[in-house]
């Protein structure tokens, strides 16, 4: 029971810290104890075979734990996981505004979803208020964005892998030009401090420092705000083609080490690191757990979600908090004492030390256990979160709304969100006319976008019927048919009728005919006809006379 209470308190603290410190962003930056570990094996929450038409490429988990993922094959998906009879069931939901282009990356803010399109080389923004009302954001480097990020100042960043640069622009500014935030001006790859070689994942902290996963240089580069000169925070001897990077609440770095098929943690002072996922001593088992991961994201409880692109799946690695709470039948250790013990242990490897043997982990556990035994008998008061008189708010100052409608814009298509404790979700959506569904996601209007083709105008006749007022030259239910202006038209003298966009024309088979229907005959033809008739008459007369003499 004590373990369960401690676990609940730890999870609540993670939530309070995250909401009170990062309420302006939509991604999670949990706070962890120094001894946090994650499950060795990942739970597969979603999988698709190649014949189903998509391969997951990027992932984003919002502060409401809704999972967003995209793929190369024109799909944008959210995945909802709920507890059902003591097990989590994860179901996908295919969002309607899927792009017609291949999607490289996505980033989600409180306002909507940004997608990077591959062939169009543009960024599309889909607002949560109306996912069908997209806005196109162009960029002037003639290559698609490989990864996206939007910082706290509403500046969007785009890593352009083939140009070896990271560019940015202010979304709220009237100036739509992009500037280079990292990389050479000549867009050539370089291993110098101000250069990059196929940049992948990017992250911008609250100080506007830009972290870049510099794949082909096997390093993580930090570009401080206003500087184009990078600092290497993880060197080339430890990682191989990093593909993504995330910072937690304490600015520790979580790196997707793609080439080594693992996730590693680098401390915020860049002096030590340790392997978190995919680091088993048994290399054969390592290949079964992760294989060339491409992207990762935290949920609000600190669980890690990883795109395992080579196997076409999404894996969830649960946070194990047992090592962050007190031993059985002992009081909870204060954070300061616990962190001091861990700092004196050897669970982290120095970045200058190449060894990563399992024996070092075992010695670390032994030294930690010895240190714990010397202090667990001390009576320490456990930390308890503040209790707010109003159950609708949380936080240390009880000033953060915990009502669903205030946390996330669930209702789509301009629906109105109403908090309702009597429902399982805690809210209800009041939909605009023509929409229904739990989140007003179903568009039932007869006149939908592009239902009338070729510039036709849709007119609602009633709740289920519509009429397309087609432009001139088009007809059909959806204006899909071009009017055949040759219908019931006869072209004379073997002329051929050709239908035009708004008319028809008769193409005469000879220059001897003219007119709209080839009805006019040239004078030379008329003379020829008369002469031919005269000769024919004379020939008949001659034959008749000869026949009379015989």
């Amino acid at each position: 029971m004590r373990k369960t209470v401690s676990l609940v308190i730890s999870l609540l603290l993670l939530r309070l810290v995250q909401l009170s410190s990062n309420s302006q962003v939509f991604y999670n930056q949990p706070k962890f104890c120094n001894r946090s570990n994650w499950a060795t094996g990942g739970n597969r929450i979603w999988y698709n075979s190649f014949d189903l038409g998509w391969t997951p490429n990027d992932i984003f988990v919002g502060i409401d734990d809704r999972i967003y993922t995209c793929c190369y094959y024109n799909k944008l998906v959210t995945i909802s996981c709920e507890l059902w009879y003591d097990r989590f069931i994860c179901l996908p939901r295919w969002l309607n505004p899927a792009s017609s282009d291949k999607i490289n990356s996505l980033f989600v803010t409180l306002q909507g979803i940004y997608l990077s399109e591959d062939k169009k080389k543009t960024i599309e923004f889909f607002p949560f208020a109306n996912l069908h009302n997209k806005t196109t954001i162009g960029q002037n480097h003639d290559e698609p964005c490989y990864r996206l990020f939007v910082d706290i100042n509403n500046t969007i960043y785009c890593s352009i892998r083939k140009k070896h640069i990271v560019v940015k622009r202010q979304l709220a500014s009237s100036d739509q030009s992009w500037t280079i935030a990292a990389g050479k001006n000549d867009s050539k790859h370089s291993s110098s401090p101000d250069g990059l070689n196929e940049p992948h994942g990017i992250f911008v902290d609250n100080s506007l420092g830009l972290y870049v996963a510099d794949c082909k240089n096997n390093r993580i580069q930090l570009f401080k705000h206003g500087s184009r000169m990078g600092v290497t925070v993880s060197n080339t001897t430890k990682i191989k083609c990093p593909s993504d990077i995330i910072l937690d609440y304490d600015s520790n770095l979580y790196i997707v080490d793609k080439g080594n098929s693992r996730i590693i943690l680098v401390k915020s002072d860049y002096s030590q690191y340790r392997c978190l996922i995919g680091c088993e001593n048994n290399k054969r088992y390592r290949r079964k757990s992760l294989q060339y991961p491409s992207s990762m994201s935290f949920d609000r409880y600190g669980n890690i979600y990883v795109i395992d692109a080579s196997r076409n799946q999404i894996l969830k690695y649960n946070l194990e908090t047992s090592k962050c709470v007190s031993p059985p039948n002992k009081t909870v250790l204060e954070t300061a004492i616990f962190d001091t013990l861990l700092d004196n242990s050897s669970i982290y490897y120095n970045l200058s030390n190449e060894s990563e043997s399992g024996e070092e982990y075992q010695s670390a556990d032994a030294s930690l256990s010895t240190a714990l035994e010397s202090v667990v008998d001390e009576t320490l008061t456990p930390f308890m979160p503040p209790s707010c008189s109003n159950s609708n708010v949380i936080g240390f100052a009880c000033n953060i709304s915990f009502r669903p409608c205030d946390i996330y814009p669930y209702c789509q298509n301009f629906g109105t969100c109403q908090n309702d404790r009597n429902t399982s979700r805690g809210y209800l959506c009041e939909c605009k006319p023509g929409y229904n569904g739990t989140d007003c996601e179903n568009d039932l209007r007869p006149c939908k976008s592009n239902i009338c083709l070729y510039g036709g105008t849709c007119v609602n006749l009633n709740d289920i019927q519509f009429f397309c007022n087609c432009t001139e030259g088009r007809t059909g239910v959806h204006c899909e048919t071009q009017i055949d202006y040759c219908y019931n038209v006869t072209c004379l003298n073997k002329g051929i009728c050709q239908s035009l966009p708004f008319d028809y024309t008769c193409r005469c088979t000879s220059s001897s005919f003219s007119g709209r229907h080839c009805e006019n005959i040239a004078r030379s033809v008329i003379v020829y006809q008369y002469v031919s008739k005269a000769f024919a008459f004379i020939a008949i007369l001659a034959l008749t006379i000869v026949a009379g003499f015989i």
Side-chain angles (χ1 to χ4, degrees):
M1 180 66 181
R2 184 182 294 269
K3 283 186 176 181
T4 303
V5 173
S6 300
L7 176 60
V8 172
I9 292 174
S10 301
L11 295 178
L12 181 58
L13 285 175
L14 287 174
R15 177 62 170 159
L16 290 174
V17 171
Q18 182 240 320
L19 286 176
S20 60
S21 62
N22 287 329
S23 59
Q24 74 273 29
V25 298
F26 198 57
Y27 53 85
N28 296 288
Q29 287 186 278
K31 183 178 179 64
F32 302 105
C33 78
N34 213 12
R35 186 59 172 163
S36 294
N37 278 331
W38 283 261
T40 303
N43 297 319
R44 187 169 66 184
I45 68 167
W46 188 243
Y47 168 81
N48 271 272
S49 60
F50 287 99
D51 57 355
L52 291 180
W54 73 285
T55 302
N57 186 37
D58 199 4
I59 190 169
F60 187 102
V61 183
I63 59 176
D64 63 341
D65 284 348
R66 180 170 294 190
I67 306 166
Y68 299 82
T69 186
C70 66
C71 62
Y72 287 118
Y73 298 100
N74 318 332
K75 298 293 184 183
L76 174 62
V77 185
T78 61
I79 300 175
S80 299
C81 299
E82 297 181 356
L83 187 62
W84 187 259
Y85 291 106
D86 298 329
R87 61 178 297 193
F88 276 96
I89 303 297
C90 298
L91 299 175
R93 173 182 164 201
W94 308 87
L95 294 184
N96 290 331
S99 169
S100 60
D101 195 0
K102 294 181 179 179
I103 303 174
N104 284 332
S105 178
L106 83 162
F107 193 88
V108 186
T109 66
L110 292 171
Q111 290 73 38
I113 306 170
Y114 292 87
L115 298 180
S116 168
E117 299 192 336
D118 184 73
K119 291 184 178 179
K120 295 180 182 178
K121 301 177 179 62
T122 59
I123 301 170
E124 303 285 356
F125 173 66
F126 297 89
F128 284 126
N130 185 1
L131 290 173
H132 298 279
N133 185 24
K134 71 176 181 179
T135 302
T136 300
I137 304 173
Q139 56 96 354
N140 55 357
H141 288 84
D142 196 33
E143 288 292 342
C145 296
Y146 188 75
R147 287 292 183 264
L148 299 173
F149 195 93
V150 179
D151 69 12
I152 59 175
N153 284 348
N154 206 27
T155 299
I156 187 168
Y157 293 75
C158 156
S159 65
I160 305 179
R161 186 179 61 176
K162 294 183 180 180
K163 293 284 187 177
H164 314 290
I165 56 175
V166 177
V167 297
K168 66 178 181 178
R169 62 163 280 196
Q170 178 61 244
L171 290 171
S173 173
S174 58
D175 183 7
Q176 299 184 1
S177 61
W178 293 76
T179 60
I180 297 179
K184 297 283 190 178
N185 291 329
D186 57 6
S187 298
K188 293 183 178 180
H189 65 81
S190 171
S191 60
S192 62
D194 61 340
L196 297 172
N197 191 350
E198 293 196 14
H200 282 43
I202 49 180
F203 190 96
V204 182
D205 62 19
N206 291 338
S207 300
L208 303 183
L210 170 62
Y211 293 82
V212 182
D214 192 6
C215 174
K216 289 299 180 69
N217 283 329
N218 300 322
R219 64 185 183 181
I220 301 296
Q221 289 292 91
L222 168 60
F223 297 86
K224 295 184 177 180
H225 181 54
S227 174
R228 293 275 298 277
M229 190 64 64
V231 177
T232 301
V233 299
S234 183
N235 63 28
T236 58
T237 63
K238 299 301 176 187
I239 56 179
K240 183 179 180 181
C241 190
S243 58
D244 202 5
I245 181 171
I246 294 179
L247 272 65
D248 67 10
Y249 178 83
D250 293 314
S251 297
N252 297 308
L253 283 66
Y254 295 78
I255 301 171
V256 179
D257 189 1
K258 182 178 180 179
N260 291 315
S261 297
R262 62 179 183 170
I263 309 294
I264 65 171
L265 164 64
V266 176
K267 296 188 70 172
S268 58
D269 60 359
Y270 318 132
S271 62
Q272 295 176 311
Y273 82 101
R274 68 184 175 104
C275 186
L276 302 180
I277 298 171
C279 41
E280 296 79 17
N281 292 329
N282 187 336
K283 294 184 178 180
R284 181 177 180 182
Y285 181 78
R286 180 191 305 179
R287 289 196 295 270
K288 293 182 179 180
S289 61
L290 266 185
Q291 186 171 343
Y292 302 115
S294 61
S295 179
M296 67 167 284
S297 187
F298 286 118
D299 66 12
R300 61 182 177 179
Y301 300 112
N303 302 311
I304 295 178
Y305 293 78
V306 183
I307 292 285
D308 191 10
S310 65
R311 292 192 179 99
N312 205 27
Q313 62 186 353
I314 300 175
L315 299 175
K316 177 185 178 183
Y317 292 87
N318 293 318
L319 174 66
E320 296 180 343
T321 57
S322 59
K323 293 186 179 181
C324 293
V325 296
S326 62
N329 303 321
K330 299 294 180 180
T331 59
V332 179
L333 300 179
E334 287 184 326
T335 303
I337 296 178
F338 194 73
D339 286 345
T340 301
L341 292 174
L342 293 172
D343 287 340
N344 292 330
S345 68
S346 59
I347 63 172
Y348 285 89
Y349 301 110
N350 293 327
L351 284 175
S352 58
N353 183 6
E354 294 293 329
S355 176
E356 293 185 21
S357 65
E359 287 74 10
E360 291 187 51
Y361 272 112
Q362 295 172 4
S363 63
D365 290 338
S367 62
L368 180 62
S369 298
T370 303
L372 284 174
E373 290 175 358
S374 64
V375 295
V376 293
D377 289 331
E378 298 182 18
T379 302
L380 302 173
T381 303
F383 174 80
M384 296 297 293
S387 177
C388 301
S389 59
N390 185 351
S391 60
N392 290 325
V393 295
I394 58 176
F396 294 104
C398 296
N399 60 347
I400 301 173
S401 175
F402 197 62
R403 297 183 298 180
C405 293
D406 299 328
I407 296 176
Y408 179 79
Y410 290 98
C411 303
Q412 303 177 29
N413 298 308
F414 301 100
T416 302
C417 187
Q418 297 178 348
N419 295 297
D420 189 344
R421 288 186 173 182
N422 297 323
T423 63
S424 60
R425 295 174 177 268
Y427 70 93
L428 288 174
C429 286
E430 182 178 343
C431 304
K432 295 289 185 181
Y435 300 93
N436 72 1
T438 304
D439 297 333
C440 303
E441 69 276 12
N442 299 323
D443 188 354
L444 304 180
R445 298 173 302 167
C447 289
K448 294 181 174 64
S449 176
N450 297 325
I451 196 168
C452 296
L453 306 175
Y454 301 101
T457 303
C458 186
V459 179
N460 284 316
L461 299 180
N462 50 46
D463 291 340
I464 60 175
Q465 293 180 318
F466 68 92
F467 171 75
C468 282
N469 187 11
C470 303
T471 56
E472 188 176 359
R474 309 299 305 187
T475 187
V477 176
H478 303 283
C479 305
E480 72 279 6
T481 304
Q482 182 176 341
I483 295 176
D484 183 9
Y485 285 95
C486 285
Y487 182 73
N488 282 339
V489 173
T490 301
C491 296
L492 303 175
N493 298 306
K494 298 183 180 180
I496 300 173
C497 183
Q498 180 180 2
S499 182
L500 302 176
F502 308 113
D503 201 355
Y504 70 91
T505 183
C506 283
R507 294 188 176 274
C508 303
T509 57
S510 171
S511 59
S512 300
F513 305 100
S514 62
R516 181 166 177 77
H517 298 93
C518 301
E519 73 277 10
N520 298 326
I521 304 175
R523 179 172 297 180
S524 59
V525 175
I526 296 175
V527 172
Y528 176 78
Q529 290 176 345
Y530 279 118
V531 172
S532 298
K533 289 180 180 179
F535 275 108
F537 176 76
I538 294 172
I540 293 172
L541 181 60
L543 289 175
T544 302
I545 295 173
V546 172
F549 281 107
I550 295 174

